[in-house]
Amino acid sequence: MSDHALPVHALPVHALPVHALPVHALLVVDVQADAVEGDRAVPEAARLLDRTADLIARARSGGALVVHVQNDGQPGAGDEPGTAGWELHHHVDASDTEVVVRKTRDDGFHGTPLGGLLTDSGVRALAICGVMSEMCVQATARTALELGYRVVMPHDAHATHDIPAAPGISDRIPAAAVSRVAEWALGSELEVVAHAADVAFTALPARAA
């Protein structure tokens, strides 16, 4: 039997650990007003904001690096720099362990200082949350995995929109399904945990030393 003909029950599955080993950093991707507030907010935005706020608070108290990744949208976009929609939802405690990294592409590493920041801070393991699951969250996580980081993604701390129906292609795809597929597409090296509360943080290596 060829690989393409394997029955569903024989396909490999991604292990879902109950709790992840501690990580040194938290990347909060594009949690900006345009995506989480008002009519354009992702479904269950209140749940997302509760989970991301919890992650940020625990990362701070654990001495981990907190990176708020902020997208600079094109002119006229909801997240165009300087507009209300571009503003970060969560307060930033600016310090040497909490910073903002601005980007213009889906991938938070592309053309930004993020990679150097993680390297200089001694980060080897990180958690990623935010929006949109299949776009900026997935693109940033994929590069982090390619660079050799251990990456943890809490399932209830990233979100996206429904995919509208496309005649002749598919019915509407619910946002929850899109988010789960975004995780699955990153492969078995990604550590997916069910809840933000399952993510633990530890101090940056230099500080711990």
Side-chain angles (χ1 to χ4, degrees), residues 5-159:
L6 285 173
V8 171
H9 68 269
L11 291 173
V13 297
H14 298 203
L16 297 179
V18 176
H19 296 285
L21 293 173
V23 297
H24 304 117
L26 174 68
L27 307 187
V28 186
V29 178
D30 297 358
V31 181
Q32 295 166 244
D34 183 59
V36 298
E37 301 172 14
D39 295 340
R40 292 167 56 89
V42 295
E44 298 188 44
R47 179 263 299 168
L48 174 73
L49 294 173
D50 176 75
R51 303 302 190 274
T52 51
D54 171 67
L55 287 165
I56 293 168
R58 290 192 296 106
R60 287 169 178 161
S61 64
L65 176 68
V66 178
V67 182
H68 300 265
V69 182
Q70 184 176 27
N71 192 67
D72 290 348
Q74 296 292 319
D79 58 355
E80 177 184 354
T83 65
W86 173 76
E87 297 293 336
L88 293 169
H89 177 86
H90 295 299
H91 172 73
V92 178
D93 286 345
S95 68
D96 59 347
T97 58
E98 184 161 353
V99 300
V100 177
V101 170
R102 293 171 62 177
K103 66 179 179 63
T104 58
R105 302 287 186 90
D106 285 359
D107 182 0
F109 288 88
H110 182 88
T112 76
L114 178 58
L117 173 64
L118 296 177
T119 298
D120 292 345
S121 300
V123 171
R124 296 186 294 274
L126 55 88
I128 296 181
C129 62
V131 293
M132 303 293 179
S133 300
E134 80 285 18
M135 298 173 68
C136 298
V137 171
Q138 186 191 71
T140 302
R142 187 180 301 282
T143 296
L145 289 167
E146 291 173 351
L147 292 173
Y149 292 101
R150 208 184 111 241
V151 180
V152 177
M153 187 179 293
H155 178 72
D156 63 353
H158 65 95

